[in-house]
Amino acid sequence: METKRNLKYYIAPPISIPTIIGLVIAVVGIVMALIMPSKIPGIAVIVLGLLVVMFTTGGKSNDTDIEFQARALTSDLQENAMKKFEVYEKHFLKMLKPVDLTGYDFEAKENEFYYKKGQDGTPRTNYFKAFNLIFTGEKMYVYGRRLSLTNEEIDETITAQYKYNELSHSEVLEKTFKTPKGDEITYHVFKIYDNDGNAILDTCIDYGADSDKAVENINRAISVRRVEIEKRAEERAIKLREFREKVMAGEAVDLPQDSLDV
């Protein structure tokens, strides 16, 4: 990762004084080429000016560079999640495929925090978070990565797993961020809560229609799976109670295998 070039992306002015000088030289060259009998001196000055511009602007990343690095560094999360938790496509819920959540982190607590609105109109910080959520019949698996685009020492892998009866719901919140210039921009946070109201997943995201759809699908999956898990637990409790009653009556019976399931 080109952290030095990335840092300049966030802190360097859009056009530096050397770049302006290079542009002025190029303009002078154009004028010379138009008014002088020989165009060669003018062309030489144009080339010199363009070389100055290229030299002074080539040392920092641009919007595309930043975007490519952020996405490339977090492109293998699902593959890593499947290896980490030993779950595969055959285990995925049919009603809810894995969910990807990505976005620049506007709530970073580090002192080395930078913000820039790119020429493409996208607001970016120097921190990026990405999560892959896998849903099976019994659990939700979380595999994520949080990294700094300007400091390679900040690179964290986040993993967790939860049973559906530990989960409450998910939601997307709209928040505001005050830029160094005093402007306010809107960003969005995706959260999933446990039964105690604690946010077990809290991450800034690239908001879109698929974000609201993910919330809807996750909440439906939690609700459906909780009912099914509770139903199975009730059925196990009934079988176990019947087993105990038979034992008390002196009948020879085998312990129900599913009574041992957690």
Side-chain angles (χ1 to χ4, degrees):
M1 183 163 51
E2 301 182 38
T3 54
K4 291 183 178 180
R5 284 171 50 88
N6 294 347
L7 179 60
K8 290 181 180 180
Y9 169 84
Y10 290 99
I11 66 175
I15 300 180
S16 63
I17 293 178
T19 301
I20 295 175
I21 293 174
L23 291 172
V24 171
I25 293 173
V27 170
V28 171
I30 293 173
V31 173
M32 290 174 60
L34 291 174
I35 65 176
M36 294 181 66
S38 174
K39 298 185 181 298
I40 294 178
I43 293 175
V45 173
I46 292 173
V47 171
L48 175 62
L50 294 177
L51 287 175
V52 172
V53 172
M54 291 175 60
F55 179 78
T56 56
T57 59
K60 68 176 182 179
S61 298
N62 56 33
D63 295 339
T64 302
D65 296 330
I66 294 293
E67 200 68 24
F68 175 80
Q69 290 178 70
R71 308 296 169 175
L73 290 168
T74 55
S75 63
D76 58 353
L77 293 186
Q78 182 167 317
E79 179 182 350
N80 291 338
M82 292 166 66
K83 292 179 180 178
K84 165 71 177 178
F85 299 116
E86 297 183 348
V87 295
Y88 306 99
E89 291 188 12
K90 64 181 180 180
H91 301 126
F92 295 173
L93 276 183
K94 292 182 179 179
M95 67 181 295
L96 180 55
K97 300 302 181 184
V99 172
D100 290 312
L101 304 170
T102 60
Y104 293 92
D105 188 3
F106 288 86
E107 299 183 342
K109 300 297 188 268
E110 287 86 353
N111 291 327
E112 188 186 58
F113 181 84
Y114 305 109
Y115 161 83
K116 180 178 180 178
K117 185 174 184 179
Q119 293 184 355
D120 58 0
T122 300
R124 297 182 177 91
T125 72
N126 57 317
Y127 296 95
F128 191 79
K129 295 174 76 174
F131 287 89
N132 177 256
L133 312 181
I134 292 178
F135 302 85
T136 68
E138 301 299 326
K139 294 181 180 181
M140 177 186 75
Y141 295 90
V142 179
Y143 193 99
R145 187 176 178 186
R146 179 182 185 272
L147 55 87
S148 167
L149 294 161
T150 57
N151 185 347
E152 290 186 344
E153 294 183 1
I154 300 176
D155 191 344
E156 177 186 8
T157 298
I158 305 161
T159 62
Q161 52 184 293
Y162 301 92
K163 295 180 179 178
Y164 291 103
N165 55 8
E166 298 176 310
L167 302 176
S168 172
H169 68 284
S170 64
E171 66 177 353
V172 173
L173 300 178
E174 182 177 288
K175 296 187 176 183
T176 58
F177 170 77
K178 182 170 286 188
T179 71
K181 294 182 179 180
D183 301 326
E184 287 192 350
I185 66 165
T186 298
Y187 69 96
H188 294 82
V189 176
F190 193 102
K191 292 191 176 189
I192 299 180
Y193 299 90
D194 64 14
N195 291 325
D196 296 324
N198 301 312
I200 55 95
L201 179 66
D202 185 345
T203 184
C204 298
I205 61 168
D206 303 319
Y207 180 73
D210 56 338
S211 305
D212 293 327
K213 189 65 175 178
V215 167
E216 179 183 339
N217 290 341
I218 289 173
N219 288 344
R220 184 170 69 251
I222 291 174
S223 177
V224 170
R225 297 308 300 167
R226 282 176 66 107
V227 169
E228 293 181 357
I229 290 172
E230 291 170 1
K231 181 179 179 181
R232 288 206 307 269
E234 183 178 350
E235 291 174 348
R236 286 197 297 268
I238 292 173
K239 290 181 180 179
L240 188 57
R241 184 171 65 250
E242 292 175 346
F243 167 78
R244 289 172 176 167
E245 290 174 351
K246 291 179 180 179
V247 170
M248 293 297 293
E251 300 180 28
V253 293
D254 295 326
L255 179 65
Q257 288 300 312
D258 59 358
S259 67
L260 300 177
D261 297 340
V262 178

